Amino acid sequence: MSDITTVGPDRPELQRAVEAIVESGFTGMTLRVHDERGHWVGSAGVGELGGSAKPPTEGRFRIGSNTKTFTAALVLLLVAEGRIELDGPVDDHLAEFGPDRRITTRMLLQHTSGVFNFTGEYHEDGTVVPGIPWQGREWVENRFRTHRPEELVRLALSKPARFAPGTDWSYSNTNYVLARLLVERATGRPFAEEMHRLVLDPLGLSDTVLPETSPEISGPHAHAYYRYENAGRQETVDVTRQNPSWISTGGDMISTTRDLHTFISALAGGRLLPAPLLAEMRTPHPKAGYGLGVFVQDTGPGGVTLITHNGGIAGHAGLMYSTPDGRKTLTASLNYVDDAAMSLAAAYQKATQSLLAEVFPTAHPEPTP
């Protein structure tokens, strides 16, 4: 087994769990646990292929769809301010895009709007309706291109809806880009400014970044990789630097495991949202257990309820779990060699289940969208 760097009380069970995830095929991992035994931080593997240094325990990484939880929290804070109506039609602010008048803010945050997913729709029968390029050689060669959020929304709304608004559930990145534009149109201010005003600055999240079109990750960070086929050969390329505007608020933010802990603990523990809106956020849709920007995961009789959202984006991934009172949290970053086949998915699910069982007895991870 490789060495592991830790800070905090001796937690051999956590060390073994981190090792198991790295040994399942990941390049590196950093884990942070806050619970009744204190704070524990550990990292294993390497931060860069061919290197020997472990991933930095305070390093920044792309958090993928954890961005959706930040976005949902911001929208709900604007609901609290009276700027946005939770059950009002988004067309009131976004008429220039012509969304279905029946789509409400709640439907965006809960993925019940039915709007086409601009990264492609994957149907139960195996058919795929493609969206923008986000995999393979085409994405690699164009990973510094800028996509405007308006462009992504117009593409999505030009496609047939998956279902009538409010009649079903389907995970769609478009919902959260619409939510971004809703914030901007309702406030008259850039999304990043509102995120800083209402979420990042009040919580002191100084290492959390909204990169917009910047390809950089400043400060210490592990590297992300992508493997693809080029002229019949497998190529592996460092994609740490990329323009994340292709995913926008579907998953573009950068953070640290420390900031994710601070955020999810404050959110779940009632220190960020008014109680009635937090209750709305934590009311899950029956089909997927998805509330407003979070999964509400009930582990069954004798178990625990977890407030969670995970995310992955081209060789970086983040885990974020909390008990409903915010007192016990697990946050983690992963760096790895990604590919279109999601070849690490099965190993990841198995190893993550073991990790959660150590921190939250009887817990099991939610299915990855």
Side-chain angles (χ1 to χ4, degrees):
M1 296 176 68
S2 58
D3 293 334
I4 186 167
T5 297
T6 64
V7 176
D10 186 32
R11 301 286 294 270
E13 75 283 2
L14 297 182
Q15 295 175 20
R16 288 192 296 268
V18 174
E19 290 286 358
I21 291 180
V22 171
E23 289 173 3
S24 71
F26 287 85
T27 309
M29 179 179 186
T30 296
L31 171 68
R32 181 179 300 270
V33 173
H34 291 237
D35 61 13
E36 64 279 357
R37 294 179 58 182
H39 303 166
W40 186 92
V41 184
S43 67
V46 296
E48 190 170 359
L49 289 178
S52 58
K54 296 173 185 61
T57 54
E58 302 297 332
R60 288 177 174 173
F61 62 100
R62 300 189 189 278
I63 66 173
S65 285
N66 287 315
T67 302
K68 292 182 173 73
T69 310
F70 282 86
T71 301
L74 172 58
V75 170
L76 291 172
L77 286 165
L78 289 169
V79 170
E81 287 189 346
R83 305 287 191 97
I84 293 173
E85 291 185 17
L86 184 58
D87 291 304
V90 299
D91 183 60
D92 285 351
H93 297 285
L94 300 176
E96 66 194 275
F97 302 104
D100 190 311
R101 180 73 184 168
R102 295 170 292 177
I103 296 174
T104 65
T105 303
R106 182 191 301 274
M107 291 177 192
L108 297 184
L109 301 185
Q110 196 157 39
H111 296 299
T112 57
S113 72
V115 295
F116 178 84
N117 185 358
F118 65 81
T119 51
E121 286 287 3
Y122 297 79
H123 294 275
E124 289 79 2
D125 63 3
T127 60
V128 177
V129 182
I132 64 166
W134 64 281
Q135 291 180 320
R137 178 180 174 181
E138 186 176 3
W139 174 76
V140 170
E141 294 180 347
N142 291 281
R143 68 187 183 278
F144 297 108
R145 173 187 168 184
T146 292
H147 295 264
R148 302 310 308 166
E150 293 85 354
E151 167 196 347
L152 301 174
V153 163
R154 288 195 172 96
L155 168 67
L157 294 181
S158 73
K159 305 285 188 179
R162 184 152 185 165
F163 48 80
T167 63
D168 203 347
W169 184 92
S170 182
Y171 194 91
S172 172
N173 289 303
T174 309
N175 287 314
Y176 276 79
V177 183
L178 281 164
R180 169 192 176 146
L181 294 174
L182 177 63
V183 167
E184 294 185 338
R185 301 307 191 266
T187 64
R189 289 160 54 90
F191 180 83
E193 289 186 15
E194 288 296 276
M195 182 66 78
H196 274 278
R197 179 176 74 89
L198 289 174
V199 179
L200 304 186
D201 294 348
L203 294 180
L205 304 182
S206 58
D207 283 320
T208 300
V209 178
L210 291 88
E212 300 288 342
T213 61
S214 172
E216 309 299 335
I217 301 180
S218 62
H221 60 273
H223 285 242
Y225 299 90
Y226 189 81
R227 180 172 54 238
Y228 68 104
E229 186 173 306
N230 183 16
R233 295 184 306 167
Q234 291 291 314
E235 304 273 1
T236 298
V237 61
D238 188 325
V239 295
T240 310
R241 296 182 70 255
Q242 59 166 285
N243 181 337
S245 63
W246 66 270
I247 190 64
S248 187
T249 33
D252 65 352
M253 288 175 67
I254 294 167
S255 192
T256 63
T257 59
R258 182 185 295 274
D259 272 11
L260 288 186
H261 152 72
T262 301
F263 170 68
I264 194 63
S265 179
L267 179 64
R271 299 189 300 279
L272 184 60
L273 292 177
L277 289 173
L278 179 60
E280 296 276 10
M281 185 182 226
R282 298 196 326 203
T283 301
H285 187 277
K287 183 172 182 177
Y290 200 88
L292 306 181
V294 293
F295 284 93
V296 182
Q297 179 183 322
D298 186 353
T299 63
V304 294
T305 297
L306 297 178
I307 308 302
T308 176
H309 210 303
N310 296 334
I313 174 172
H316 274 159
L319 310 181
M320 185 170 67
Y321 294 86
S322 178
T323 51
D325 59 8
R327 293 182 180 177
K328 179 183 287 191
T329 67
L330 180 163
T331 56
S333 66
L334 292 157
N335 54 293
Y336 56 101
V337 180
D338 201 357
D339 56 32
M342 296 183 64
S343 56
L344 288 173
Y348 159 79
Q349 291 288 354
K350 182 178 179 180
T352 304
Q353 183 171 335
S354 297
L355 172 62
L356 287 175
E358 292 290 355
V359 181
F360 307 101
T362 75
H364 302 283
E366 91 283 351
T368 302

Short mmCIF file of all heavy atoms in Angstrom, two decimals, residues 155-210:
data_model
loop_
_atom_site.label_atom_id
_atom_site.label_comp_id
_atom_site.label_asym_id
_atom_site.label_seq_id
_atom_site.Cartn_x
_atom_site.Cartn_y
_atom_site.Cartn_z
N LEU A 155 -29.54 26.47 -27.29
CA LEU A 155 -29.41 25.13 -27.88
C LEU A 155 -30.41 24.18 -27.24
O LEU A 155 -31.14 23.46 -27.93
CB LEU A 155 -27.99 24.60 -27.68
CG LEU A 155 -27.81 23.10 -27.97
CD1 LEU A 155 -28.00 22.82 -29.46
CD2 LEU A 155 -26.45 22.61 -27.50
N ALA A 156 -30.47 24.18 -25.91
CA ALA A 156 -31.35 23.25 -25.20
C ALA A 156 -32.82 23.50 -25.52
O ALA A 156 -33.60 22.57 -25.75
CB ALA A 156 -31.11 23.36 -23.69
N LEU A 157 -33.20 24.77 -25.55
CA LEU A 157 -34.60 25.08 -25.77
C LEU A 157 -35.02 24.92 -27.24
O LEU A 157 -36.21 24.96 -27.55
CB LEU A 157 -34.91 26.50 -25.28
CG LEU A 157 -34.80 26.70 -23.76
CD1 LEU A 157 -35.14 28.13 -23.38
CD2 LEU A 157 -35.67 25.72 -22.99
N SER A 158 -34.04 24.72 -28.11
CA SER A 158 -34.37 24.43 -29.51
C SER A 158 -34.72 22.96 -29.72
O SER A 158 -35.20 22.57 -30.79
CB SER A 158 -33.20 24.80 -30.43
OG SER A 158 -32.12 23.87 -30.30
N LYS A 159 -34.46 22.14 -28.70
CA LYS A 159 -34.73 20.70 -28.77
C LYS A 159 -36.08 20.38 -28.11
O LYS A 159 -36.53 21.10 -27.22
CB LYS A 159 -33.63 19.92 -28.04
CG LYS A 159 -32.21 20.22 -28.52
CD LYS A 159 -31.93 19.57 -29.84
CE LYS A 159 -30.44 19.70 -30.20
NZ LYS A 159 -30.13 19.06 -31.49
N PRO A 160 -36.71 19.28 -28.50
CA PRO A 160 -37.97 18.89 -27.84
C PRO A 160 -37.76 18.64 -26.35
O PRO A 160 -36.73 18.08 -25.93
CB PRO A 160 -38.36 17.60 -28.56
CG PRO A 160 -37.64 17.65 -29.88
CD PRO A 160 -36.35 18.37 -29.60
N ALA A 161 -38.72 19.05 -25.56
CA ALA A 161 -38.67 18.79 -24.12
C ALA A 161 -38.75 17.28 -23.86
O ALA A 161 -39.36 16.54 -24.64
CB ALA A 161 -39.81 19.50 -23.41
N ARG A 162 -38.15 16.87 -22.75
CA ARG A 162 -38.18 15.44 -22.41
C ARG A 162 -39.56 15.04 -21.90
O ARG A 162 -40.01 13.91 -22.11
CB ARG A 162 -37.10 15.14 -21.37
CG ARG A 162 -36.99 13.67 -21.03
CD ARG A 162 -35.61 13.30 -20.59
NE ARG A 162 -35.50 11.86 -20.38
CZ ARG A 162 -34.36 11.20 -20.27
NH1 ARG A 162 -33.22 11.86 -20.36
NH2 ARG A 162 -34.34 9.92 -20.08
N PHE A 163 -40.23 15.96 -21.21
CA PHE A 163 -41.59 15.72 -20.72
C PHE A 163 -42.20 17.08 -20.39
O PHE A 163 -41.51 18.10 -20.34
CB PHE A 163 -41.60 14.80 -19.49
CG PHE A 163 -40.60 15.17 -18.42
CD1 PHE A 163 -40.86 16.20 -17.52
CD2 PHE A 163 -39.39 14.50 -18.32
CE1 PHE A 163 -39.94 16.55 -16.53
CE2 PHE A 163 -38.46 14.84 -17.34
CZ PHE A 163 -38.74 15.86 -16.44
N ALA A 164 -43.49 17.10 -20.15
CA ALA A 164 -44.18 18.34 -19.80
C ALA A 164 -43.70 18.81 -18.42
O ALA A 164 -43.47 17.98 -17.52
CB ALA A 164 -45.69 18.13 -19.80
N PRO A 165 -43.54 20.10 -18.23
CA PRO A 165 -43.04 20.61 -16.95
C PRO A 165 -43.81 20.07 -15.75
O PRO A 165 -45.04 20.06 -15.73
CB PRO A 165 -43.23 22.13 -17.09
CG PRO A 165 -43.15 22.39 -18.56
CD PRO A 165 -43.80 21.20 -19.19
N GLY A 166 -43.05 19.58 -14.76
CA GLY A 166 -43.63 19.13 -13.51
C GLY A 166 -44.19 17.73 -13.51
O GLY A 166 -44.69 17.27 -12.48
N THR A 167 -44.09 17.01 -14.64
CA THR A 167 -44.72 15.68 -14.71
C THR A 167 -43.75 14.53 -14.47
O THR A 167 -44.17 13.38 -14.36
CB THR A 167 -45.38 15.46 -16.08
OG1 THR A 167 -44.38 15.50 -17.11
CG2 THR A 167 -46.42 16.53 -16.35
N ASP A 168 -42.45 14.80 -14.39
CA ASP A 168 -41.46 13.73 -14.23
C ASP A 168 -40.18 14.35 -13.70
O ASP A 168 -40.13 15.55 -13.39
CB ASP A 168 -41.22 13.01 -15.56
CG ASP A 168 -40.69 11.59 -15.40
OD1 ASP A 168 -40.26 11.24 -14.28
OD2 ASP A 168 -40.67 10.85 -16.39
N TRP A 169 -39.12 13.54 -13.59
CA TRP A 169 -37.82 13.99 -13.09
C TRP A 169 -36.74 13.51 -14.05
O TRP A 169 -36.74 12.35 -14.45
CB TRP A 169 -37.54 13.43 -11.69
CG TRP A 169 -36.27 13.94 -11.08
CD1 TRP A 169 -36.15 15.03 -10.26
CD2 TRP A 169 -34.94 13.40 -11.21
NE1 TRP A 169 -34.84 15.21 -9.89
CE2 TRP A 169 -34.07 14.22 -10.46
CE3 TRP A 169 -34.41 12.32 -11.90
CZ2 TRP A 169 -32.70 13.98 -10.37
CZ3 TRP A 169 -33.04 12.08 -11.82
CH2 TRP A 169 -32.19 12.90 -11.05
N SER A 170 -35.83 14.41 -14.43
CA SER A 170 -34.69 14.03 -15.25
C SER A 170 -33.58 15.05 -15.04
O SER A 170 -33.80 16.26 -15.19
CB SER A 170 -35.07 13.96 -16.73
OG SER A 170 -33.96 13.55 -17.51
N TYR A 171 -32.40 14.56 -14.70
CA TYR A 171 -31.25 15.42 -14.40
C TYR A 171 -30.82 16.15 -15.66
O TYR A 171 -30.48 15.53 -16.67
CB TYR A 171 -30.13 14.54 -13.86
CG TYR A 171 -28.99 15.25 -13.19
CD1 TYR A 171 -29.02 15.49 -11.82
CD2 TYR A 171 -27.87 15.66 -13.91
CE1 TYR A 171 -27.95 16.10 -11.18
CE2 TYR A 171 -26.81 16.29 -13.28
CZ TYR A 171 -26.86 16.50 -11.92
OH TYR A 171 -25.80 17.13 -11.28
N SER A 172 -30.79 17.48 -15.60
CA SER A 172 -30.44 18.28 -16.78
C SER A 172 -29.60 19.47 -16.37
O SER A 172 -30.04 20.31 -15.57
CB SER A 172 -31.70 18.76 -17.50
OG SER A 172 -31.38 19.67 -18.53
N ASN A 173 -28.39 19.55 -16.92
CA ASN A 173 -27.52 20.68 -16.62
C ASN A 173 -28.15 22.01 -17.05
O ASN A 173 -27.86 23.06 -16.48
CB ASN A 173 -26.17 20.51 -17.33
CG ASN A 173 -25.35 19.40 -16.71
OD1 ASN A 173 -25.05 19.41 -15.52
ND2 ASN A 173 -24.99 18.41 -17.51
N THR A 174 -29.03 21.95 -18.06
CA THR A 174 -29.68 23.16 -18.54
C THR A 174 -30.45 23.87 -17.44
O THR A 174 -30.50 25.12 -17.39
CB THR A 174 -30.63 22.83 -19.71
OG1 THR A 174 -29.93 22.06 -20.68
CG2 THR A 174 -31.18 24.09 -20.34
N ASN A 175 -31.06 23.12 -16.54
CA ASN A 175 -31.82 23.74 -15.45
C ASN A 175 -30.98 24.74 -14.68
O ASN A 175 -31.46 25.81 -14.29
CB ASN A 175 -32.33 22.66 -14.49
CG ASN A 175 -33.46 21.84 -15.08
OD1 ASN A 175 -34.40 22.38 -15.66
ND2 ASN A 175 -33.38 20.52 -14.94
N TYR A 176 -29.73 24.40 -14.45
CA TYR A 176 -28.90 25.24 -13.60
C TYR A 176 -28.25 26.39 -14.37
O TYR A 176 -27.85 27.39 -13.76
CB TYR A 176 -27.90 24.38 -12.82
CG TYR A 176 -28.59 23.85 -11.59
CD1 TYR A 176 -29.46 22.76 -11.66
CD2 TYR A 176 -28.45 24.48 -10.37
CE1 TYR A 176 -30.15 22.31 -10.56
CE2 TYR A 176 -29.12 24.05 -9.24
CZ TYR A 176 -29.97 22.96 -9.34
OH TYR A 176 -30.66 22.54 -8.23
N VAL A 177 -28.15 26.28 -15.68
CA VAL A 177 -27.73 27.44 -16.47
C VAL A 177 -28.90 28.41 -16.58
O VAL A 177 -28.71 29.64 -16.51
CB VAL A 177 -27.20 27.01 -17.84
CG1 VAL A 177 -26.70 28.23 -18.62
CG2 VAL A 177 -26.06 26.01 -17.68
N LEU A 178 -30.10 27.89 -16.72
CA LEU A 178 -31.28 28.75 -16.65
C LEU A 178 -31.36 29.45 -15.29
O LEU A 178 -31.71 30.64 -15.21
CB LEU A 178 -32.55 27.94 -16.89
CG LEU A 178 -32.86 27.59 -18.35
CD1 LEU A 178 -33.89 26.47 -18.44
CD2 LEU A 178 -33.37 28.83 -19.09
N ALA A 179 -31.03 28.73 -14.21
CA ALA A 179 -31.04 29.33 -12.88
C ALA A 179 -30.02 30.47 -12.79
O ALA A 179 -30.28 31.51 -12.17
CB ALA A 179 -30.76 28.27 -11.82
N ARG A 180 -28.86 30.28 -13.40
CA ARG A 180 -27.86 31.35 -13.42
C ARG A 180 -28.41 32.59 -14.12
O ARG A 180 -28.29 33.71 -13.61
CB ARG A 180 -26.61 30.87 -14.16
CG ARG A 180 -25.62 31.98 -14.45
CD ARG A 180 -24.54 31.56 -15.43
NE ARG A 180 -23.68 32.69 -15.75
CZ ARG A 180 -22.39 32.59 -16.01
NH1 ARG A 180 -21.79 31.41 -15.98
NH2 ARG A 180 -21.68 33.66 -16.31
N LEU A 181 -29.00 32.39 -15.30
CA LEU A 181 -29.54 33.53 -16.03
C LEU A 181 -30.72 34.16 -15.28
O LEU A 181 -30.90 35.39 -15.31
CB LEU A 181 -29.97 33.08 -17.42
CG LEU A 181 -28.83 32.63 -18.34
CD1 LEU A 181 -29.37 32.08 -19.65
CD2 LEU A 181 -27.85 33.78 -18.61
N LEU A 182 -31.49 33.35 -14.59
CA LEU A 182 -32.57 33.87 -13.76
C LEU A 182 -32.03 34.80 -12.68
O LEU A 182 -32.58 35.90 -12.44
CB LEU A 182 -33.33 32.70 -13.13
CG LEU A 182 -34.46 33.04 -12.16
CD1 LEU A 182 -35.57 33.81 -12.86
CD2 LEU A 182 -35.01 31.75 -11.52
N VAL A 183 -30.95 34.39 -12.02
CA VAL A 183 -30.32 35.24 -11.00
C VAL A 183 -29.90 36.57 -11.60
O VAL A 183 -30.15 37.65 -11.03
CB VAL A 183 -29.11 34.51 -10.37
CG1 VAL A 183 -28.25 35.48 -9.56
CG2 VAL A 183 -29.58 33.34 -9.51
N GLU A 184 -29.26 36.51 -12.75
CA GLU A 184 -28.74 37.74 -13.36
C GLU A 184 -29.86 38.66 -13.82
O GLU A 184 -29.77 39.89 -13.65
CB GLU A 184 -27.82 37.38 -14.52
CG GLU A 184 -26.56 36.67 -14.05
CD GLU A 184 -25.56 36.40 -15.15
OE1 GLU A 184 -25.95 36.37 -16.34
OE2 GLU A 184 -24.37 36.20 -14.82
N ARG A 185 -30.92 38.09 -14.42
CA ARG A 185 -32.01 38.94 -14.90
C ARG A 185 -32.83 39.49 -13.74
O ARG A 185 -33.31 40.63 -13.81
CB ARG A 185 -32.92 38.15 -15.85
CG ARG A 185 -32.24 37.57 -17.10
CD ARG A 185 -31.47 38.60 -17.90
NE ARG A 185 -31.07 38.09 -19.20
CZ ARG A 185 -29.89 37.52 -19.48
NH1 ARG A 185 -28.99 37.37 -18.51
NH2 ARG A 185 -29.60 37.09 -20.71
N ALA A 186 -32.99 38.72 -12.67
CA ALA A 186 -33.80 39.18 -11.54
C ALA A 186 -33.09 40.23 -10.70
O ALA A 186 -33.75 41.08 -10.08
CB ALA A 186 -34.18 37.98 -10.66
N THR A 187 -31.77 40.20 -10.67
CA THR A 187 -31.02 41.13 -9.82
C THR A 187 -30.35 42.25 -10.60
O THR A 187 -30.00 43.29 -10.01
CB THR A 187 -29.92 40.39 -9.04
OG1 THR A 187 -28.95 39.87 -9.96
CG2 THR A 187 -30.51 39.26 -8.21
N GLY A 188 -30.13 42.03 -11.89
CA GLY A 188 -29.39 43.01 -12.67
C GLY A 188 -27.91 43.01 -12.38
O GLY A 188 -27.20 43.95 -12.76
N ARG A 189 -27.44 41.97 -11.72
CA ARG A 189 -26.02 41.88 -11.36
C ARG A 189 -25.43 40.56 -11.86
O ARG A 189 -26.16 39.58 -12.02
CB ARG A 189 -25.85 41.96 -9.83
CG ARG A 189 -26.12 43.34 -9.26
CD ARG A 189 -26.43 43.29 -7.78
NE ARG A 189 -25.41 42.60 -7.00
CZ ARG A 189 -24.35 43.21 -6.45
NH1 ARG A 189 -24.17 44.51 -6.61
NH2 ARG A 189 -23.48 42.51 -5.73
N PRO A 190 -24.11 40.50 -12.11
CA PRO A 190 -23.49 39.25 -12.53
C PRO A 190 -23.69 38.15 -11.49
O PRO A 190 -23.69 38.40 -10.28
CB PRO A 190 -22.01 39.61 -12.68
CG PRO A 190 -22.00 41.09 -12.91
CD PRO A 190 -23.15 41.62 -12.10
N PHE A 191 -23.83 36.93 -11.98
CA PHE A 191 -24.03 35.79 -11.10
C PHE A 191 -22.93 35.68 -10.05
O PHE A 191 -23.20 35.45 -8.86
CB PHE A 191 -24.07 34.51 -11.95
CG PHE A 191 -24.28 33.25 -11.17
CD1 PHE A 191 -25.54 32.85 -10.79
CD2 PHE A 191 -23.20 32.44 -10.82
CE1 PHE A 191 -25.74 31.67 -10.07
CE2 PHE A 191 -23.38 31.27 -10.11
CZ PHE A 191 -24.66 30.89 -9.73
N ALA A 192 -21.67 35.86 -10.47
CA ALA A 192 -20.55 35.72 -9.53
C ALA A 192 -20.65 36.74 -8.39
O ALA A 192 -20.34 36.42 -7.23
CB ALA A 192 -19.22 35.87 -10.26
N GLU A 193 -21.07 37.96 -8.70
CA GLU A 193 -21.19 38.98 -7.66
C GLU A 193 -22.26 38.59 -6.64
O GLU A 193 -22.07 38.77 -5.43
CB GLU A 193 -21.53 40.34 -8.27
CG GLU A 193 -20.38 40.97 -9.04
CD GLU A 193 -20.71 42.38 -9.52
OE1 GLU A 193 -21.71 42.97 -9.02
OE2 GLU A 193 -19.97 42.88 -10.39
N GLU A 194 -23.37 38.08 -7.11
CA GLU A 194 -24.43 37.65 -6.19
C GLU A 194 -23.99 36.44 -5.37
O GLU A 194 -24.32 36.34 -4.18
CB GLU A 194 -25.71 37.33 -6.97
CG GLU A 194 -26.41 38.56 -7.51
CD GLU A 194 -26.91 39.45 -6.39
OE1 GLU A 194 -28.01 39.19 -5.87
OE2 GLU A 194 -26.20 40.42 -6.04
N MET A 195 -23.24 35.52 -5.98
CA MET A 195 -22.74 34.37 -5.23
C MET A 195 -21.80 34.83 -4.12
O MET A 195 -21.87 34.32 -2.98
CB MET A 195 -22.03 33.39 -6.16
CG MET A 195 -21.53 32.12 -5.48
SD MET A 195 -22.85 31.04 -4.86
CE MET A 195 -23.35 30.24 -6.40
N HIS A 196 -20.95 35.77 -4.41
CA HIS A 196 -20.06 36.30 -3.37
C HIS A 196 -20.86 37.03 -2.29
O HIS A 196 -20.61 36.83 -1.09
CB HIS A 196 -19.02 37.23 -3.99
CG HIS A 196 -17.81 36.52 -4.50
ND1 HIS A 196 -16.77 36.13 -3.68
CD2 HIS A 196 -17.48 36.10 -5.74
CE1 HIS A 196 -15.84 35.51 -4.39
NE2 HIS A 196 -16.26 35.46 -5.65
N ARG A 197 -21.82 37.84 -2.68
CA ARG A 197 -22.58 38.64 -1.71
C ARG A 197 -23.36 37.79 -0.73
O ARG A 197 -23.38 38.08 0.48
CB ARG A 197 -23.53 39.57 -2.47
CG ARG A 197 -24.39 40.45 -1.57
CD ARG A 197 -25.24 41.42 -2.37
NE ARG A 197 -26.37 40.78 -3.04
CZ ARG A 197 -27.59 40.61 -2.47
NH1 ARG A 197 -27.80 41.01 -1.23
NH2 ARG A 197 -28.57 40.05 -3.16
N LEU A 198 -23.99 36.73 -1.23
CA LEU A 198 -24.92 35.99 -0.39
C LEU A 198 -24.40 34.67 0.15
O LEU A 198 -24.93 34.16 1.14
CB LEU A 198 -26.22 35.74 -1.17
CG LEU A 198 -27.09 36.98 -1.41
CD1 LEU A 198 -28.27 36.65 -2.31
CD2 LEU A 198 -27.57 37.58 -0.10
N VAL A 199 -23.39 34.09 -0.49
CA VAL A 199 -22.92 32.76 -0.07
C VAL A 199 -21.45 32.76 0.31
O VAL A 199 -21.09 32.45 1.45
CB VAL A 199 -23.19 31.70 -1.17
CG1 VAL A 199 -22.69 30.33 -0.72
CG2 VAL A 199 -24.68 31.64 -1.51
N LEU A 200 -20.58 33.08 -0.62
CA LEU A 200 -19.15 32.89 -0.39
C LEU A 200 -18.60 33.83 0.68
O LEU A 200 -17.90 33.39 1.60
CB LEU A 200 -18.37 33.08 -1.70
CG LEU A 200 -18.77 32.19 -2.87
CD1 LEU A 200 -17.81 32.38 -4.04
CD2 LEU A 200 -18.84 30.72 -2.46
N ASP A 201 -18.90 35.11 0.58
CA ASP A 201 -18.34 36.06 1.54
C ASP A 201 -18.90 35.87 2.95
O ASP A 201 -18.13 35.87 3.92
CB ASP A 201 -18.53 37.49 1.05
CG ASP A 201 -17.74 37.79 -0.21
OD1 ASP A 201 -16.87 36.97 -0.58
OD2 ASP A 201 -17.99 38.84 -0.83
N PRO A 202 -20.22 35.70 3.12
CA PRO A 202 -20.73 35.47 4.48
C PRO A 202 -20.14 34.23 5.16
O PRO A 202 -19.97 34.21 6.38
CB PRO A 202 -22.24 35.32 4.27
CG PRO A 202 -22.53 36.10 3.03
CD PRO A 202 -21.34 35.87 2.16
N LEU A 203 -19.83 33.21 4.37
CA LEU A 203 -19.28 31.98 4.96
C LEU A 203 -17.75 31.97 4.97
O LEU A 203 -17.14 31.02 5.46
CB LEU A 203 -19.79 30.75 4.18
CG LEU A 203 -21.29 30.46 4.26
CD1 LEU A 203 -21.64 29.23 3.44
CD2 LEU A 203 -21.74 30.28 5.71
N GLY A 204 -17.12 33.01 4.42
CA GLY A 204 -15.66 33.06 4.41
C GLY A 204 -15.02 32.04 3.49
O GLY A 204 -13.92 31.55 3.79
N LEU A 205 -15.66 31.74 2.38
CA LEU A 205 -15.15 30.70 1.47
C LEU A 205 -14.16 31.33 0.48
O LEU A 205 -14.42 31.47 -0.71
CB LEU A 205 -16.31 30.03 0.73
CG LEU A 205 -17.39 29.42 1.64
CD1 LEU A 205 -18.47 28.74 0.80
CD2 LEU A 205 -16.79 28.44 2.63
N SER A 206 -12.99 31.66 0.99
CA SER A 206 -12.01 32.41 0.20
C SER A 206 -11.30 31.56 -0.85
O SER A 206 -10.66 32.10 -1.76
CB SER A 206 -10.97 33.05 1.13
OG SER A 206 -10.31 32.05 1.91
N ASP A 207 -11.41 30.25 -0.75
CA ASP A 207 -10.76 29.37 -1.73
C ASP A 207 -11.74 28.83 -2.77
O ASP A 207 -11.39 27.96 -3.56
CB ASP A 207 -10.07 28.19 -1.04
CG ASP A 207 -8.76 28.60 -0.39
OD1 ASP A 207 -8.03 29.39 -1.03
OD2 ASP A 207 -8.48 28.16 0.72
N THR A 208 -12.97 29.35 -2.76
CA THR A 208 -13.97 28.92 -3.73
C THR A 208 -14.07 29.95 -4.85
O THR A 208 -14.21 31.14 -4.58
CB THR A 208 -15.32 28.70 -3.06
OG1 THR A 208 -15.17 27.70 -2.04
CG2 THR A 208 -16.38 28.25 -4.04
N VAL A 209 -13.99 29.46 -6.08
CA VAL A 209 -13.83 30.33 -7.25
C VAL A 209 -14.92 30.05 -8.28
O VAL A 209 -15.26 28.89 -8.53
CB VAL A 209 -12.44 30.11 -7.89
CG1 VAL A 209 -12.26 30.96 -9.13
CG2 VAL A 209 -11.33 30.38 -6.87
N LEU A 210 -15.44 31.10 -8.88
CA LEU A 210 -16.29 30.98 -10.07
C LEU A 210 -15.43 31.38 -11.26
O LEU A 210 -15.18 32.57 -11.49
CB LEU A 210 -17.51 31.90 -9.97
CG LEU A 210 -18.55 31.50 -8.91
CD1 LEU A 210 -18.22 32.13 -7.56
CD2 LEU A 210 -19.94 31.91 -9.34
#
